[in-house]
Amino acid sequence: MSDHSNGGPHASGTVTTAGQGEAEKFRDPGLPPHRPRLADVDPRAEKRAERQVAILFVVSIIGTLAFFYAYFFIELDQTIGTLRLQNLVLGLGTAFAMLGIGVGIVHWAKTLMPDHEVAESRHEIRSESDRQDAEKIVGDIIEETGIKRRPLIRNSLIGAMLLAPLPAIAIFRDLGPLPGDTLRHTMWDTDVRLTRDPDGTPIKASDVTIGSAFHVIPEGLNEAEHKLEEKAKAVVLLMRLNPEELNPSEGREDWGYNGIVAYSKICTHVGCPVALYEQQTHHLLCPCHQSTFDLTQECKVIFGPAVRPLPQLPITVNDEGYLVARSDFHEPVGPSFWERG
Amino acid sequence: MKALSQRRRHPMAAIALLLLGLLVTGGLYAVASTANEAKAETTYSASDIAEGEKLFVANCATCHGMGASGTDDGPSLVGVGAASVDFQVGTGRMPLQMSGPQAMEKPNQFTEEQTAQLSAYVASLGAGPGIPDEEYLEHEGLEAEEIAEGGEIFRVNCAMCHNAAAAGGALTRGKFAPGLADVSEKHIYEAMATGPQNMPVFNDANITPEDKKKVIGFLKTIESQGSPGGADLGSLGPVSEGLFIWVAGLGAVIGFTVWLTSRSS
Amino acid sequence: MSSTSTTATYQPATKVGRITDFVDSRVGGSSMVKEFGRKIFPDHWTFMFGEVALYSFVILLLSGTFLTFFFDPSMAETHYDGSYVPLKGVEMSVAYASSLDISFDIRGGLFMRQVHHWSALLFVAAVSVHMLRVFFTGAFRRPRELNWVVGGVLLILAMAAGFTGYSLPDDLLSGNGLRIIDGVIKSVPVVGTYISFFLFGGEFPGTDIIGRLYVLHILLIPAIILLMIAIHLFMVVVHKHTQYPGPGRTNDNVVGFPVGPVYAAKAGGFFFIVFGIIAFISAAFTINPIWNYGPYDPSPVSAGTQPDWYIGWVDGALRLMPGWLGSFPFEWEIPFPWGTNTLSLNVLLPALVPAGIVFTLLFTWPWIERWITKDNREHHLLDRPRNAPGRTAVGVAGVVFYCVMWAAASSDLIATHFSVSLNDVTYWLRVLFFLGPVLGFIITRRIALALQRKDREIALHGRETGRIVRLPHGEYIEVHEPLDDYKLYKLVSYDAPMTVPAEADRNGHISKSEKRRAMISRFLFEDRVAPVTPAELEEAHSHGHQDQLATDADNAAVVEKH
C-alpha cells in the first residue's frame, strides 16, 4: 500500500488548526453535460414509456372500481370478517387509484418531459432603495401621528391597550367552578359499604381470601349524580395478605381487618389507576409510569416517579359481616396539587 | 447469540417480530380452538392419588418437600387445590426449569393422565379450588350482552396487567403478565381461581363462576374475531403504531422520494 | 394590476389565451403565471419531506371532514347498541358510541378513521424529519431563520392537533391520557388546580372536555396550522429553495426543474403517491383499535398505556424521573405564612424541563450558531452534514436526548419483548439520559471528521479501484483512479467553519460573553478538516507519480483483484 491511502489525522496534514486561512478555491466546472435518456434517443423506448404511463392510469381506474365494488357489494353482516374484508378492499382500491395516478404522472414527468436542469439566478430579497423608502414612509407616518411628541396620548393609549385584553381572559371564568375543597373529599364515609366494581355488590370479609385483590367502589356510586367524577376519586383496591406481613404505623393498626387492607387506586404521581397487584411480592405497580408501591410498608414508593404513598382507606366489618369504611380518606387522593398542603 | 442480539436491534427486526407474532398467534389459534377441553373431574380414585404421590415424590418433592409441606425453595402445596396443579403443570410452568423472575410457560412435561394424577394427589392433601366444571368453560351459547359484561369485568380486574386486548404486559423486576391468546379456557379459569405466581386470586366470591365464564367468552370472542382494521401489530397500542409509521410508512415514502428525484435511464 | 390596459390592446388568439385573458382581466393571474410558471425548484429526495407533511395535512383535512359528519362530541351517557358484539349494552359516552358507529356501522368509516389516524402519525413524523433535514444541512441560516421558527411553531401545533384528536373518541386509553394531563396540570404551582377545573368544567373527567377539545381540534388548531403553512410557503417562495453544493450550483443561482411541467407533475403526482401509501397502510393495518380499549371509566387501565408517538418523549420523561433520590423527595411541602403549599417537582421537572430545553434550543439555534460563527452571510447552498461537524454533533446529541425519552415511554414493552427487567430498563435509560447526548456528540463529531478526511483523500488521490499492481522494481501499489472535474468539485467546494477568536470591541475591551463565545467556537471548530485546494492537489499529483505509472503499466502488470 502506498503511504497516502491512510486517511488518518496525521497522514497528510488534513487536520489544520484554526486560523490557517483559506487558500485559493477550485474553479466551478459548471453544470455537467446533459446525458440523454433512453426515451430521448430511442423512439421505441419513448413508445414503451408512453404505454407504461397509460397502464398506470388504467390501474388507477381499476382501483376506483374496486372501491365501488367493496362499498356496494361487500355486505356487512355484523361479523368482523366482512368488515375486515370491506376495509381491505376499500383501502386497496383507494391505494391503487391514488398510486396509479401518482406513479403514472411522475413516470411521465421523468421519462417524457424535458429533463434539462435549468439555472435561475437569485435576486436580492430586498433592494436597498426600497428599504430606504420604506424607512422614510414609516418615519413620516410616525411623525405625522405625533405620538412621540404627545406622551399623554401615548401613555394613556398604552394603558388602555394593556387593559383591553383582560376581559377576554376574564370571560372564560365560567368554564368551570372553583375547586373549593372537592379534591379533599370522596364518597367514602363512616359505614359506607365496600362494593365490587362495576356491579356494586357488597363484599363480606370472608369473601376476601389471602392473595385476593378486589376492585372496589363505594356503595351507591352507580346511582350517584356525578358518577364518573366520584369514581375518579373513590376507587379502591382491596387486598388480603398475612396479617404478619403488614407493618401498620402507629394509629393505623385498626385501619385494616384481619390482613384485609384497602388503598386508593389513584396514583399519587399523575392519577393513573395503580391496579397491578403482585400478590407474592406485595408490590403495586402503576402501568403508566411504573411507580411501585410496597403494600407491606403502607404503600410507600419504592420505585418510579411518585413521591407520596397511596392513601389508605380505613375499613372494618359491620354487624352483618360486610366490609365498611371507617371514614373517608384522611388525605386527598390522587396527584398532588398546589393547595394540597 | 451475539449475532441474534445484534439483529434484534435492526429496525426491521421489530416489524419482523410483529409479523412473526401475528403468524404465530393466528396459527396457534387455529390449533387451540379445535382442541377441546378435557372433562371435568371432581372425584379422584385412590389409585390416581397413589400414582400422583409417586410422581410428586419423583418430580416435585425436591422443592415442595415431602408431603408437599414446602421448603425454602418452594411453597407448601397443601390446600392449593387441583386447579392450581392442573394449571401449573398443564401449562408447563412446573416443574420449574430454572429459577428466574417467574416460572415460564413451556411444553407440558407430563401426559394428561399424569397431570390429573398429580392434581388428585395435591387435592387430597387439603381442600382448594378444583378443576372447573365443563359448564363454566363452554362459552359458545353466551349472549352478546353477557360477552360484553365479561369484557367489563376483564377491563376492571385484568386489563391493567394483561392489556385491554389481552396482549400481556410488564410487571416489576423482570416479571410479566403473559398474553392470553391461545391459552385454553380451562387454564384461564384456573388462573383466575388460583392466582398463580404473582397474579392475585379471583375467588368465586369475587368473580363468580358465571362471570368467569363470561370473561372467558369475551377473551375467546376477541381472539377469534381478529381485528377489523387489518393486521393488529401485536395489539400493543401506540408504540407499535409509532414504530410502524416510522419504519414502514416513512420507509415507503423515502423509497418513492428517491425514485421520484432520480434521473430516468 | 394593469388589466384595463391589456384588455384594450390584447386580442387572444387561442382557446387557452381566451381563458387566460378572462381570468387575467378579472384577477390578474398572468403575473402569477409569470412568477411561478417556470420557477425553478431543485430536485433532491431530502427536499420532499416538507411536501409529505403538507400532503398528509391535506389528507387529514379531507378525512377529518368526513369524520366530523358522523362524530358526536358529547359526553352524555348512553348504552351501546351497534354491531360490535363485545361491547353490546355497555354504558358509554355518546362520543365513544359514535366513534364505534363510524368504525362498525358506517361503510368506509373505519377506513376513514384509519386514514385519518395514520396520516396524523405520518404528518408529525414528516414534519420532524423535514426539520431534521433543514437542521443538518444548515438550511435554517440567514435568510431563512424566521421560516425555521415558523416550522418549529408548526411542529408544536402538529403535536397539539394530534393530542386533541387522540382524546376525542373518549376510550379508555385516551381517557387515561387525559387523566395524566390533568395530573400534570394540577402540579403547576398556584394556578394548576384552577386551570384543571376550568379545562374540565369542574372535577375530572366532567362532561365538557371532549366538546372543548373537539372545537380546538377541528377549528382553532387547523386554522392556525393553515395560516402558518401559508406563511411558511410564502417565505419559501420569497427565499427560493436552497440547494446542495455541486458543479454549476452557486450561492447566487437555483438549479433544478421548472415548475411547469416537470416539477408540478412530480409534486402533484407525489400527492397521489402519499395518499396511496396511507390508503394502503389503512387498508391492511389497524390503528387505534378503540373497540379493544372500551369506554373511559376512571377505574380500569390497560397495560401498555402510551400516548401517540409524538407525545411519547414527554411521557418518557415522566417515567424516567425518580420520585425519591435516596431519601430526598422531589415533592416539597413548603410552609408559607398563609399555610402549606405543595410543589410537585417530580411531575413539573420532567414535564417542563426537557421540552423546554429542546424547544428553546430549537427556536434559538439559528441565532446561537450565528453568534458562535459570526457568520451573517446569506446561505443558499446547503452543508453536507459531515462538512459541519460541530452542528451535526449538536444535532445528533439533541436527537439522542429525544430518543432516550422516547424509548423510556415504551420501557414496559422493551422489558417484555427483550425479556429484561422493567426496572433495569429505567435505570439504564436514566444513565443514558445524561450520558447519551454527550456520547452522541463526541462520536458524531469524530465520524464527521473521519468522513471529511476520507473525502479529502479521495479528492487528492482519486478513487481506490481495488486493483493491486506490481511495479517493475517489485513494489506493490493500489491503483487510484483520479476523479473527473465534476466529482472533484463536489468534494472540495465547501466552507469549513473555523474558530473565530475573541475580538475586542471598539474600546479595545474583550467582553465576558465574547470570551465565552470564543471558547465555544474553539471547542466546536478547533478540529477542522479543510477542503483540498488546487495547490494541494497539484502537489499530491506530483507526489503520486506511482499512480500514473501504475495506470500506464495497467495492462502489462500482474493484476490481482481483491
Side-chain angles (χ1 to χ4, degrees), chain C residues 284-562:
Chain C
F285 297 92
T286 308
I287 188 163
N288 197 20
I290 49 166
W291 51 87
N292 280 346
Y293 304 131
Y296 181 62
D297 175 333
S299 171
V301 64
S302 170
T305 289
Q306 270 107 354
D308 272 347
W309 75 259
Y310 41 82
I311 308 286
W313 62 301
V314 184
D315 191 57
L318 284 172
R319 290 182 182 212
L320 282 182
M321 179 77 194
W324 293 80
L325 209 58
S327 58
F328 177 82
F330 281 101
E331 182 176 307
W332 301 340
E333 295 189 347
I334 308 169
F336 284 106
W338 55 83
T340 307
N341 285 127
T342 305
L343 184 63
S344 293
L345 290 174
N346 59 329
V347 181
L348 271 181
L349 287 182
L352 298 180
V353 172
I357 293 173
V358 167
F359 281 112
T360 309
L361 279 179
L362 186 145
F363 281 119
T364 55
W365 180 258
W367 290 275
I368 295 175
E369 186 176 309
R370 191 177 75 175
W371 173 67
I372 297 170
T373 57
K374 294 205 163 187
D375 176 0
N376 198 21
R377 293 169 298 169
E378 281 200 8
H379 290 278
H380 301 292
L381 278 183
L382 298 172
D383 287 329
R384 293 172 80 198
R386 67 182 62 171
N387 288 335
R391 180 201 301 137
T392 304
V394 169
V396 169
V399 169
V400 171
F401 184 64
Y402 182 97
C403 286
V404 169
M405 292 185 277
W406 207 14
S410 51
S411 54
D412 49 339
L413 291 172
I414 294 174
T416 49
H417 284 246
F418 299 99
S419 299
V420 286
S421 155
L422 175 65
N423 305 61
D424 291 344
V425 174
T426 307
Y427 293 136
W428 275 109
L429 288 173
R430 278 178 188 165
V431 173
L432 277 180
F433 180 80
F434 295 101
L435 207 60
V438 177
L439 287 178
F441 181 90
I442 295 169
I443 292 170
T444 307
R445 193 160 63 145
R446 273 8 277 187
I447 290 175
L449 288 168
L451 286 171
Q452 278 187 295
R453 284 188 199 111
K454 191 193 103 196
D455 281 355
R456 226 186 116 84
E457 281 306 308
I458 294 172
L460 283 174
H461 306 296
R463 196 173 59 82
E464 291 175 12
T465 56
R467 290 207 311 279
I468 308 294
V469 171
R470 197 180 73 170
L471 298 179
H473 58 273
E475 186 190 351
Y476 284 91
I477 63 154
E478 185 182 6
V479 179
H480 286 234
E481 192 181 283
L483 298 177
D484 64 40
D485 278 358
Y486 302 107
K487 289 209 178 97
L488 177 69
Y489 187 72
K490 257 190 188 165
L491 293 183
V492 297
S493 62
Y494 67 90
D495 280 336
M498 41 178 137
T499 304
V500 184
E503 288 164 14
D505 60 13
R506 238 171 279 156
N507 307 326
H509 177 251
I510 299 177
S511 68
K512 250 200 190 123
S513 88
E514 177 66 10
K515 275 184 197 152
R516 215 171 298 136
R517 187 204 59 73
M519 213 175 71
I520 299 170
S521 173
R522 199 169 59 239
F523 172 68
L524 284 179
F525 306 122
E526 196 169 36
D527 285 349
R528 169 175 180 271
V529 178
V532 173
T533 62
E536 282 175 315
L537 187 66
E538 191 59 36
E539 193 193 352
H541 278 179
S542 61
H543 256 275
H545 59 278
Q546 297 115 315
D547 284 357
Q548 199 50 50
L549 240 160
T551 320
D552 295 341
D554 210 4
N555 297 323
V558 184
V559 175
E560 186 189 327
K561 287 245 172 197
H562 262 269

Side-chain angles (χ1 to χ4, degrees), chain A residues 1 4 6-7 9 12 14-16 18-19 22-33 71-72 78 80 83 86-88 90-92 94-95 98-99 101-103 105-106 109-110 113-123 125 173 175-179 182-183 197 227-229 231-233 235 265-266 269-273 287-290 303-308 335-341, chain C residues 40 83 91 103-104 107-108 111 114 143-144 176 179-180 183 186 189-190 193-194 197-198 201-204 206 212 239-241 247-257 261-262 265-266 269 272-273 275-276 279-280 282-283 297-301 315 318-319 321 323-324 331 333 340-342 344 346-347 380 411 422-423 426-427 453 456-457 461 486 488-489 492 495 498-499 528-529 532-534 537:
Chain A
M1 286 272 173
H4 52 66
N6 172 6
S12 51
T14 50
V15 176
T16 61
E22 296 281 341
E24 54 170 322
K25 294 211 163 193
F26 279 87
R27 190 186 54 84
D28 183 353
L31 282 178
Y71 193 87
F72 289 112
Q78 301 225 335
I80 297 298
L83 179 58
Q86 191 191 46
N87 184 65
L88 183 70
L90 281 177
L92 289 182
T94 313
M98 294 295 137
L99 286 173
I101 294 178
V103 176
I105 292 179
V106 172
K110 279 178 51 149
M113 292 184 195
D115 75 330
H116 286 268
E117 283 196 306
V118 185
E120 182 185 53
S121 57
R122 292 179 192 273
H123 308 288
I125 288 172
R173 161 63 191 85
L175 276 175
L178 294 180
T182 46
L183 292 178
D197 183 18
K227 183 183 154 189
L228 288 187
E229 292 73 35
K231 195 171 185 180
K233 292 186 292 187
V235 281
K265 215 164 110 177
I266 306 304
H269 177 225
V270 283
C272 276
C288 294
H289 304 103
Q290 285 76 45
F303 182 80
V307 172
R308 280 182 298 106
S336 298
F337 50 97
W338 178 249
E339 300 83 357
R340 187 179 184 279
Chain C
I40 300 297
S83 32
E91 193 178 306
S103 307
F104 293 100
R107 281 177 289 177
F111 177 61
Q114 303 211 116
R144 294 179 181 78
N176 276 310
R179 178 145 217 192
I180 293 170
K186 279 187 178 139
V190 188
T193 321
Y194 293 88
F197 270 67
F198 291 162
E203 277 187 89
F204 176 88
R212 289 175 182 173
H239 295 142
K240 293 202 169 89
H241 210 285
R249 290 148 210 267
T250 70
N251 210 26
D252 305 316
N253 70 5
V254 197
V255 178
F257 294 108
V262 178
K266 281 188 176 181
F272 292 95
I273 290 175
F275 202 155
F280 180 82
S282 308
D297 175 333
S299 171
V301 64
D315 191 57
L318 284 172
R319 290 182 182 212
M321 179 77 194
W324 293 80
E331 182 176 307
E333 295 189 347
T340 307
N341 285 127
T342 305
S344 293
N346 59 329
V347 181
H380 301 292
S411 54
L422 175 65
N423 305 61
T426 307
Y427 293 136
R453 284 188 199 111
R456 226 186 116 84
E457 281 306 308
H461 306 296
Y486 302 107
L488 177 69
Y489 187 72
V492 297
D495 280 336
M498 41 178 137
T499 304
R528 169 175 180 271
V529 178
V532 173
T533 62
L537 187 66

Side-chain angles (χ1 to χ4, degrees), chain A residues 35 37-38 80 84 87 106 110-111 115 196-197 207 209 211-215 275-281, chain B residues 156-157 160-161 171-172 175 195 197-203 205-206 225-229 259 262-265:
Chain A
R35 182 171 54 82
R37 295 164 297 184
L38 265 180
I80 297 298
R84 181 165 48 230
N87 184 65
V106 172
K110 279 178 51 149
T111 51
D115 75 330
R196 286 179 191 82
D197 183 18
D207 295 344
T209 48
S212 282
F214 282 63
H215 295 260
L276 284 69
Y277 173 53
E278 299 179 354
Q279 64 125 328
Q280 290 179 343
T281 59
Chain B
V156 168
N157 291 284
M160 61 280 190
C161 301
L171 299 174
T172 64
K175 297 185 285 294
Q197 317 213 17
N198 267 300
M199 177 166 161
V201 177
F202 295 94
N203 60 29
N206 190 353
Q225 69 183 16
S227 175
W259 167 73
S262 66
R263 265 189 105 254
S264 171
S265 57

Side-chain angles (χ1 to χ4, degrees), chain B residues 29-247:
Chain B
Y29 174 68
V31 176
S33 59
T34 49
N36 218 335
E37 284 325 307
K39 64 274 155 214
E41 276 176 303
T42 40
T43 52
Y44 301 101
S45 67
S47 69
D48 279 345
I49 295 174
E51 282 300 313
E53 182 166 16
K54 280 187 209 157
L55 284 167
F56 187 90
V57 170
N59 294 288
C60 321
T62 332
C63 301
H64 291 292
M66 297 308 282
S69 52
T71 69
D72 289 345
D73 297 325
S76 161
L77 299 182
V78 177
V80 300
S84 183
V85 180
D86 190 60
F87 176 84
Q88 300 279 4
V89 177
T91 60
R93 286 181 165 82
M94 291 290 151
L96 207 56
Q97 204 163 46
M98 54 178 173
S99 64
Q102 73 187 40
M104 303 295 280
E105 196 183 350
K106 55 184 181 296
N108 192 347
Q109 311 266 324
F110 299 95
T111 64
E112 219 163 275
E113 195 192 354
Q114 289 171 319
T115 311
Q117 288 163 342
L118 272 170
S119 307
Y121 169 66
V122 173
S124 73
L125 300 172
I131 290 169
D133 285 341
E134 188 67 18
E135 65 169 301
Y136 298 123
L137 305 178
E138 184 46 57
H139 53 83
E140 293 296 337
L142 287 175
E143 300 285 322
E145 282 77 8
E146 291 176 307
I147 288 171
E149 261 176 66
E152 279 190 277
I153 297 166
F154 180 81
R155 282 191 289 277
V156 168
N157 291 284
C158 324
M160 61 280 190
C161 301
H162 288 288
N163 167 310
L171 299 174
T172 64
R173 310 228 168 252
K175 297 185 285 294
F176 63 94
L180 301 181
D182 72 45
V183 180
S184 74
E185 286 87 344
K186 186 177 65 160
H187 288 150
I188 295 175
Y189 190 103
E190 287 168 349
M192 286 191 272
T194 62
Q197 317 213 17
N198 267 300
M199 177 166 161
V201 177
F202 295 94
N203 60 29
D204 289 352
N206 190 353
I207 301 178
T208 63
E210 284 76 21
D211 283 347
K212 288 193 174 91
K213 177 174 162 179
K214 291 175 192 166
V215 171
I216 292 169
F218 169 75
L219 286 171
K220 290 300 164 191
T221 305
I222 59 168
E223 186 183 336
S224 64
Q225 69 183 16
S227 175
D232 63 10
L233 303 176
S235 293
L236 297 174
V239 172
S240 54
E241 291 158 8
L243 200 62
F244 184 82
I245 201 68
W246 273 90
V247 178

Side-chain angles (χ1 to χ4, degrees), chain A residues 144-174:
Chain A
E144 284 169 30
T145 60
I147 198 157
K148 284 184 180 160
R149 281 174 287 127
R150 300 184 211 278
L152 183 63
I153 290 183
R154 188 189 63 205
N155 294 346
S156 51
L157 177 65
I158 290 171
M161 297 276 270
L162 284 179
L163 213 57
L166 292 184
I169 298 169
I171 201 167
F172 285 104
R173 161 63 191 85
D174 280 346

